[in-house]
Amino acid sequence: MQIDLSLSRRRFLGTSVAATAVLGFSRVPYLAAQDATPVPLLGWSDDFSDNGLLNVATTVAPISSIVRNIGGNRINLRGIVPDGTNSHTFEPAPSDAVILSNADVLIANGLDLEDPTIEMANENLPEGAAVFTLGDKTITPEQYAYDFSFPEEDGHPNPHLWTNIPYAIAYAELVTEELSRLDPDNADYFAGNLDRYRTALETLDAAVQATVDSIPEENRRLLTYHDSWAYFAPNYGMTVIGAIQPSDFSEPSPRDVADLIDQIREENVPAIFGSEVFPSGVLEQIARETGAEYVDDLRDDEPPGDAGSPEHTFIGMMKRNLQIMAGALGGDPSLMDGVDPADTWVP
Ligand SMILES: [Zn+2]
């Protein structure tokens, strides 16, 4: 499948221009955090500057959202991979080299997810700055998942660790360590933000488990287009019975599709899940031929809502995903109602 990167990039720049315009009128939207302290919704499209704050570049939105919740307003944060882009095939633009040449660090997932961006960072980061990857510091090679779209023979592990919330907590802890190393004067501030964010992630983790538990046991099976639930499923008691996207991110072959249709009929799968970022006519065809419900809006790295809305966060994304899964598989989506998706950092 071809992704029009130029279009995504225009959308992304449009978003930052809009955000800047809002800031220009001093009308930053505020909302109540969990401790009722107002938190400005800063997103992750700051311009880097010499304002004395760390210039922190990140890659995909889940990582950007985690870094914002630790760094708060004491970092300049710039996500390189635009929302709604296929992060697995994303190629950074020359303008990203300029951003990286002004960064104090690139915080990335690693595990082969963002190789072109990491390569560009290694060539362009200033003297003394480095890439800091999270995935390989969170689990050991023995824990890497190799599965449908990430077969072991290709040598690229499934990189989607953050869908398993304890791993997302580990990411937040690693980010806190790295920001504190780079800016020791703000270490206490980052640690306070980590405490609040960890509490929010633990609330999310418990709600995810309760929501999965509400799904009838025979329905706790995921058949998805994009293979992003390899670490989520075993932790919460679900099984990924298949992922449709080939390892080169092309469309599946007619033979693959025929096999899947057989599998869905045999296993009596109630729903198959597509993705916002990977629309697939193939899934619609499979749904038509098998009678399974086709749900097209699971997302592994694109938060819901507009940039600047309280749900446009990592927690908001996982909340939405679980509501969608529970709704399609016979569980209780309202068990996610108590999860506040908003940022938890304080100024
Ligand atoms: Zn993905």
Side-chain angles (χ1 to χ4, degrees):
M1 186 184 60
Q2 285 293 323
I3 299 281
D4 181 354
L5 288 178
S6 59
L7 180 66
S8 303
R9 184 154 297 281
R10 278 201 298 279
R11 268 179 53 192
F12 178 61
L13 290 173
T15 301
S16 2
V17 169
T20 308
V22 168
L23 283 167
F25 287 102
S26 311
R27 291 187 55 175
V28 180
Y30 279 81
L31 73 153
Q34 285 168 345
D35 61 357
T37 309
V39 174
L41 297 166
L42 293 185
W44 40 85
S45 53
D46 301 343
D47 290 327
F48 285 171
S49 69
D50 303 329
N51 58 3
L53 304 180
L54 284 178
N55 288 327
V56 181
T58 51
T59 53
V60 292
I63 292 174
S64 305
S65 183
I66 290 168
V67 172
R68 172 60 80 200
N69 276 283
I70 303 304
N73 62 352
R74 300 199 192 173
I75 60 170
N76 301 314
L77 173 59
R78 185 62 176 258
I80 301 278
V81 181
D83 284 359
T85 303
N86 177 354
S87 57
H88 301 263
T89 56
F90 172 72
E91 296 278 348
S95 56
D96 295 321
V98 178
I99 293 169
L100 290 164
S101 71
N102 289 302
D104 294 305
V105 62
L106 171 72
I107 300 181
N109 187 72
L111 300 182
D112 306 332
L113 176 63
E114 322 101 318
D115 285 349
T117 305
I118 288 175
E119 201 175 304
M120 181 184 269
N122 285 329
E123 286 165 6
N124 289 281
L125 284 172
E127 185 88 29
V131 177
F132 186 75
T133 51
L134 299 169
D136 58 310
K137 297 180 182 68
T138 296
I139 58 174
T140 64
E142 291 72 43
Q143 295 171 292
Y144 292 174
Y146 295 94
D147 56 354
F148 306 97
S149 305
F150 300 91
E152 186 140 29
E153 60 265 29
D154 286 3
H156 306 296
N158 195 314
H160 302 96
L161 270 65
W162 57 86
T163 58
N164 181 353
I165 306 307
Y167 290 169
I169 293 173
Y171 277 25
E173 290 168 346
L174 288 163
V175 167
T176 305
E177 282 171 31
E178 180 65 0
L179 295 184
S180 301
R181 187 183 71 79
L182 294 167
D183 181 7
D185 289 349
N186 277 315
D188 288 348
Y189 172 77
F190 299 140
N193 280 343
L194 173 63
D195 282 346
R196 276 178 291 274
Y197 195 51
R198 191 197 279 115
T199 299
L201 289 173
E202 285 169 352
T203 300
L204 172 67
D205 186 46
V208 168
Q209 187 65 68
T211 303
V212 170
D213 290 347
S214 76
I215 298 170
E217 204 171 342
E218 68 274 15
N219 287 354
R220 290 180 203 156
R221 293 174 302 160
L222 288 173
L223 180 62
T224 61
Y225 185 74
H226 186 54
D227 189 5
S228 41
W229 302 94
Y231 301 96
F232 165 92
N235 185 40
Y236 297 105
M238 294 191 83
T239 306
V240 181
I241 61 169
I244 298 167
Q245 191 172 42
S247 55
D248 63 357
F249 305 105
S250 59
E251 285 275 305
S253 71
R255 180 60 206 263
D256 293 336
V257 172
D259 288 348
L260 276 163
I261 288 172
D262 287 346
Q263 184 187 4
I264 292 165
R265 286 186 176 139
E266 261 166 45
E267 302 204 33
N268 201 20
V269 178
I272 54 179
F273 295 93
S275 154
E276 287 276 297
V277 181
F278 301 101
S280 169
V282 163
L283 275 184
E284 278 177 61
Q285 177 203 342
I286 293 172
R288 263 199 316 275
E289 293 193 24
T290 60
E293 185 187 356
Y294 170 46
V295 182
D296 70 356
D297 53 356
L298 276 193
R299 43 189 89 214
D300 66 316
D301 61 14
E302 188 192 8
D306 295 330
S309 73
E311 61 179 347
H312 195 76
T313 62
F314 168 67
I315 291 177
M317 181 184 82
M318 292 305 294
K319 176 178 181 174
R320 179 71 66 89
N321 281 329
L322 268 293
Q323 288 170 330
I324 291 166
M325 277 183 205
L329 298 175
D332 180 0
S334 76
L335 292 169
M336 296 304 295
D337 287 355
V339 173
D340 182 349
D343 283 347
T344 59
W345 62 272
V346 296

